[in-house]
Amino acid sequence: MYRYDQFDEQLVRERAAQFRGQVERRLSGELKEDHFKPLRLQNGVYLQLHAYMLRVAIPYGQLSSRKMRQLAMIADTYDKGYGHFTTRQNIQYNWVALKNIPDVLDKLADVEMHAIQTSGNCIRNTTSDHLAGANADELEDPRPWCEIIRQWSTIHPEFAFLPRKFKIAVTAAAPDRAAIKVHDIGLLMKPNANGEVGFEVFVGGGLGRTPHVGVSVRDWVSKGELLSYLEAIMRVYNRFGRRDNKFKARIKILVNETGPEEFTRLVEEEFAAQGPKEKVVLPDEEVARIMAYFAPPEFEDLPEVSQAFEREKARNEGFARWARINLRAHRTPGYASVHISLKPQGVAPGDATGEQMRVMADLAEQYGMDDVRVAHEQDIVLPHVKMDDLPAVYAKLVEHRLATANAGLITDLIACPGLDYCNLANARSISVANDIQAEFADADFEEEIGKLHVNISGCINACGHHHVGHIGVLGVDKKGEEFYQITLGGRADEKAAIGDIAGPGLRHEEVRPAFRRVIDKYLEVRNGKSETFIEVLERLGQEPFKEALYASA
Amino acid sequence: MSSARPKLKPDTPKAVTAWNTQTGRTVYLTSERRWSEDVLDAAVLTAPQDEEELAFAKGDEQTVTDPYFMQVKAEGGVDGRETLRETIRAQGPTNHPMFGKQAGSP
Ligand code: SF4
């Protein structure tokens, strides 16, 4: 894992001290809210329905046990004992008092963390594949490049006042687990004709009011030229991106209004025009220095099959189910990646208590090579666990309600905080999520349904990624009543697609039975269990599902 | 944006609500021009007094942030189009009743 050098350390400490002064001036009345608001936003502090919310950056979703324990301490000391992991691999605290935030920032700085660039019109946290460095299908580890992008984009003066916020995601595996095509820039690591690894560059993806799938503007750019190329894109955006209308300011609108070909031409022109002094040249030693932090841990030479694992599977049905659903293959024999679901029945998706965070930190330290990841599905992953240790890990997870066997299934849904917390919301998301979870609470039935992604947002800002859920749910307000618009056929993977709106909105209490009818229809028409929901939808189109959705109960 | 709440008619009963600047907790302006965390303590206002009270709230920037009108019943208590939002603000998230105001402040 990357460790701060003296510059990182100094920057984070200075920012925390500066914000302490700003908070003091706000509390003394010297600073009015109008002046303070942009300052607090630059430090990740929002004002939500009930309280201030602090969003803390987790670069590319990676934590150590020490960092996770500190997040737990902050939840217990400064919040109400829990935190919320987000679709951008960050964590949010919902109840932090403004007067305490400077102390929280100091505590974060103690473990090399901060809240800088988690809000505002700047380059946000660069996200990545939560299985990076562990999965067999990856070309190479994308995290060093996320870190390089983080360093380049942090407090970059040219990109501190972009037309709108800007999100970058990087993956190095063909199955896209980082949803790169719905980011402002998505980077896919791949070889060129000579076998040299570089990046395919997608631009203009994004959700919100006008969802778009990113378009490929460059089939391949070398590692050495990556930052210069990104800089060319950012310059075109800074120059031509609209600043007159907040709703048209994202780069996706620019790409779309300019047309992908013309946009690409502008970027290539900017890239070609960069003089040698303008090029962001990465010294080899610096790349090597950063790479070294991501060197694979020392895996033991283990047999492919773990007897302890097999014995427990045969003995314990709960463990066997969890192993089937929540484990992911590791590139090293004898190891697995563990998906810890933060979606048990009746909990806000992505919420974890301080105690649960500490348990996950302990497990990472004891069994997981001190590595913890936040997945954009709002779950936690221990990427490197010995198969022999899985029974012990599972037992501990069960004790703390962290062993729900639903990774990738219908109840492992993504949901934003919605009207229970968010000041911009139209409708609740969490209660809809909990209703759907209750409908599919039977574990056998859920497993029978198979892979299915449900994404829920409480307003058109789409923090819950509803457009790219196989089934998406969007909360809307109709004369003071919550309604829910259903979209079908979205996907966030390598075949990224925006779902189509199925029809008129449903009342809150109608969503659960409507989901049941859609799933029953799927089970009726699929060609066996191996044909997933999204495959059937793509084969048959929306009609049968629309009919089921709106059939009266 | 908290300021972009629906516009209320002059004669609609309303209260002034805001956030405590120090803690971020939801507060309501009382008839004695104090700030209470209990929505039932809120002064029920109509024109022309309502604008005066909102102006007072806006001037009390050190104590509270982003004051605005919310609709209430003539006898007090949340009402109108934003009933759900304001009930959630008054009581806490519906999914975590134990994390509402009764759970105390960090
Ligand atoms: S999608 Fe809307 S309701 Fe949900 S967190 Fe984002 S802004 Fe809030």
Side-chain angles (χ1 to χ4, degrees):
Chain A
M1 168 176 259
Y2 180 74
R3 296 297 314 262
Y4 276 9
D5 60 20
Q6 73 188 84
F7 301 109
D8 296 301
E9 166 86 21
Q10 192 185 346
L11 172 83
V12 167
R13 293 280 178 199
E14 280 175 4
R15 273 292 287 264
Q18 184 190 47
F19 191 57
R20 183 177 290 279
Q22 291 161 346
V23 169
E24 277 164 13
R25 286 195 286 146
R26 173 72 186 105
L27 294 180
S28 73
E30 196 185 320
L31 267 182
K32 304 276 183 236
E33 178 64 10
D34 279 355
H35 297 125
F36 179 65
K37 188 174 174 182
L39 302 174
R40 68 168 161 79
L41 287 175
Q42 280 173 20
N43 290 282
V45 182
Y46 290 72
L47 187 54
Q48 295 288 37
L49 285 185
H50 312 285
Y52 293 97
M53 181 269 275
L54 176 68
R55 184 180 293 148
V56 176
I58 302 177
Y60 31 95
Q62 183 166 23
L63 291 165
S64 62
S65 52
R66 177 168 167 256
K67 290 182 183 193
M68 185 66 119
R69 268 190 208 108
Q70 194 78 334
L71 295 180
M73 184 281 289
I74 291 167
D76 288 342
T77 314
Y78 300 99
D79 203 280
K80 292 182 189 255
Y82 68 110
H84 175 73
F85 290 97
T86 77
T87 50
R88 301 228 68 251
Q89 301 179 306
N90 290 324
I91 185 170
Q92 293 178 178
Y93 293 105
N94 294 304
W95 300 94
V96 207
L98 182 61
K99 60 182 166 87
N100 292 334
I101 289 178
D103 291 346
V104 175
L105 295 184
D106 283 344
K107 302 285 183 214
L108 288 170
D110 289 345
V111 294
E112 303 180 5
M113 294 184 78
H114 60 75
I116 301 166
Q117 287 181 212
T118 58
S119 170
N121 296 336
C122 54
I123 301 179
R124 306 282 189 90
N125 185 27
T126 298
T127 52
S128 190
D129 183 350
H130 51 265
L131 297 179
N135 208 276
D137 55 25
E138 130 188 318
L139 192 60
E140 59 178 68
D141 195 335
R143 288 171 301 161
W145 295 97
C146 297
E147 177 55 31
I148 286 166
I149 293 168
R150 185 193 74 79
Q151 296 195 13
W152 159 77
S153 62
T154 299
I155 325 279
H156 192 309
E158 198 176 331
F159 310 134
F161 294 97
L162 295 169
R164 271 303 260 139
K165 58 186 167 183
F166 204 91
K167 301 172 182 178
I168 303 177
V170 191
T171 191
D176 178 7
R177 290 175 288 264
I180 63 163
K181 290 186 188 165
V182 289
H183 282 74
D184 295 286
I185 294 180
L187 298 171
L188 170 65
M189 299 191 80
K190 68 177 208 185
N192 66 3
N194 302 324
E196 188 189 341
V197 175
F199 303 86
E200 180 170 2
V201 184
F202 296 87
V203 182
L207 302 174
R209 202 168 291 263
T210 27
H212 285 286
V213 171
V215 293
S216 176
V217 298
R218 230 322 161 114
D219 188 52
W220 193 84
V221 65
S222 71
K223 289 174 177 174
E225 290 185 311
L226 175 69
L227 293 184
S228 296
Y229 199 78
L230 294 181
E231 208 145 302
I233 296 171
M234 300 309 294
R235 285 197 173 159
V236 169
Y237 176 48
N238 235 347
R239 182 156 161 223
F240 297 109
R242 288 180 62 169
R243 290 172 190 268
D244 60 324
N245 182 341
K246 187 177 164 192
F247 301 123
K248 301 203 166 185
R250 294 288 291 266
I251 198 170
K252 62 189 174 186
I253 306 290
L254 178 65
V255 172
N256 214 46
E257 285 186 353
T258 321
E261 293 78 24
E262 175 61 7
F263 179 83
T264 305
R265 192 193 64 73
L266 289 167
V267 171
E268 290 294 335
E269 190 179 88
E270 175 68 35
F271 184 57
Q274 286 170 348
K277 281 201 181 138
E278 276 177 292
K279 292 267 178 218
V280 192
V281 180
L282 272 168
D284 289 346
E285 342 42 286
E286 182 57 12
V287 175
R289 185 183 78 86
I290 290 172
M291 289 280 181
Y293 287 112
F294 297 93
E298 284 197 15
F299 295 114
E300 289 173 38
D301 219 352
L302 296 173
E304 195 87 45
V305 176
S306 154
Q307 295 305 331
F309 174 72
E310 295 301 329
R311 259 197 315 275
E312 189 64 10
K313 263 200 329 192
R315 195 184 71 75
N316 178 345
E317 169 47 31
F319 177 79
R321 181 194 302 279
W322 175 81
R324 275 195 308 275
I325 297 171
N326 286 36
L327 296 184
R328 298 291 175 264
H330 199 281
R331 65 167 67 145
T332 315
Y335 287 82
S337 299
V338 173
H339 195 112
I340 301 175
S341 168
L342 299 183
K343 323 284 174 55
Q345 290 278 324
V347 168
D351 275 14
T353 64
E355 189 197 344
Q356 288 177 320
M357 290 183 222
R358 258 188 300 280
V359 167
M360 293 188 280
D362 291 347
L363 288 174
E365 189 171 59
Q366 197 176 349
Y367 302 109
M369 300 180 149
D370 207 24
D371 198 338
V372 194
R373 310 283 175 81
V374 182
H376 87 266
E377 293 91 348
Q378 302 174 288
D379 289 321
I380 300 294
V381 169
L382 302 178
H384 318 293
V385 181
K386 267 193 246 174
M387 307 278 289
D388 288 348
D389 292 331
L390 289 170
V393 169
Y394 175 73
K396 195 81 188 164
L397 292 174
V398 169
E399 265 175 50
H400 296 276
R401 244 196 135 197
L402 288 167
T404 308
N406 64 354
L409 303 184
I410 190 168
T411 65
D412 182 21
L413 25 70
I414 292 177
C416 78
L419 190 58
D420 282 302
Y421 294 91
C422 177
N423 204 15
L424 303 174
N426 284 326
R428 285 172 295 165
S429 309
I430 297 166
S431 55
V432 174
N434 292 160
D435 272 4
I436 296 167
Q437 288 177 318
E439 182 62 35
F440 301 100
D442 182 291
D444 287 329
F445 184 48
E446 182 175 25
E447 195 177 353
E448 178 63 30
I449 298 165
K451 199 175 161 195
L452 207 162
H453 296 306
V454 176
N455 295 0
I456 308 170
S457 304
C459 82
I460 195 64
N461 288 323
C463 306
H465 294 186
H466 64 276
H467 300 291
V468 290
H470 297 164
I471 308 178
V473 182
L474 164 67
V476 293
D477 168 276
K478 265 197 204 166
K479 296 194 180 133
E481 204 187 330
E482 299 170 298
F483 271 78
Y484 295 89
Q485 209 173 61
I486 309 294
T487 52
L488 294 170
R491 49 199 299 175
D493 58 7
E494 62 284 0
K495 294 185 188 157
I498 306 298
D500 292 317
I501 297 170
L506 302 171
R507 287 199 154 76
H508 193 293
E509 67 279 8
E510 288 171 346
V511 176
R512 175 176 172 172
F515 259 74
R516 179 58 189 241
R517 293 193 298 273
V518 168
I519 296 307
D520 285 345
K521 173 56 72 179
Y522 157 63
L523 294 174
E524 181 194 317
V525 297
R526 73 181 180 185
N527 289 327
K529 202 177 164 185
S530 64
E531 195 182 24
T532 62
F533 177 81
I534 190 72
E535 286 164 355
V536 174
L537 191 64
E538 284 166 2
R539 175 167 60 86
L540 295 180
Q542 283 211 359
E543 275 323 306
F545 296 104
K546 269 194 199 172
E547 244 168 62
L549 199 55
Y550 294 105
S552 51
Chain B
M1 296 296 293
S2 54
S3 49
R5 310 283 16 126
K7 221 168 158 40
L8 301 178
K9 292 195 182 116
D11 57 353
T12 301
K14 51 183 88 69
V16 175
T17 181
W19 289 264
N20 177 299
T21 300
Q22 280 214 10
T23 61
R25 287 166 75 104
T26 312
V27 288
Y28 305 91
L29 188 65
T30 70
S31 46
E32 292 89 40
R33 289 193 166 175
R34 287 184 299 101
W35 291 100
S36 167
E37 290 190 6
D38 187 345
V39 67
L40 295 175
D41 290 343
V44 179
L45 307 163
T46 45
Q49 198 203 356
D50 53 0
E51 290 298 341
E52 280 168 35
E53 295 307 286
L54 185 63
F56 164 79
K58 286 187 172 159
D60 198 12
E61 262 237 275
Q62 188 180 350
T63 320
V64 299
T65 294
D66 284 353
Y68 66 93
F69 286 137
M70 59 178 271
Q71 189 173 341
V72 291
K73 298 194 185 85
E75 66 277 19
V78 178
D79 197 15
R81 190 189 156 123
E82 299 217 288
T83 295
L84 181 59
R85 170 194 155 94
E86 291 303 339
T87 304
I88 289 172
R89 274 186 84 235
Q91 295 175 3
T94 59
N95 65 310
H96 279 322
M98 66 286 200
F99 293 134
K101 287 189 166 164
Q102 61 274 37
S105 169

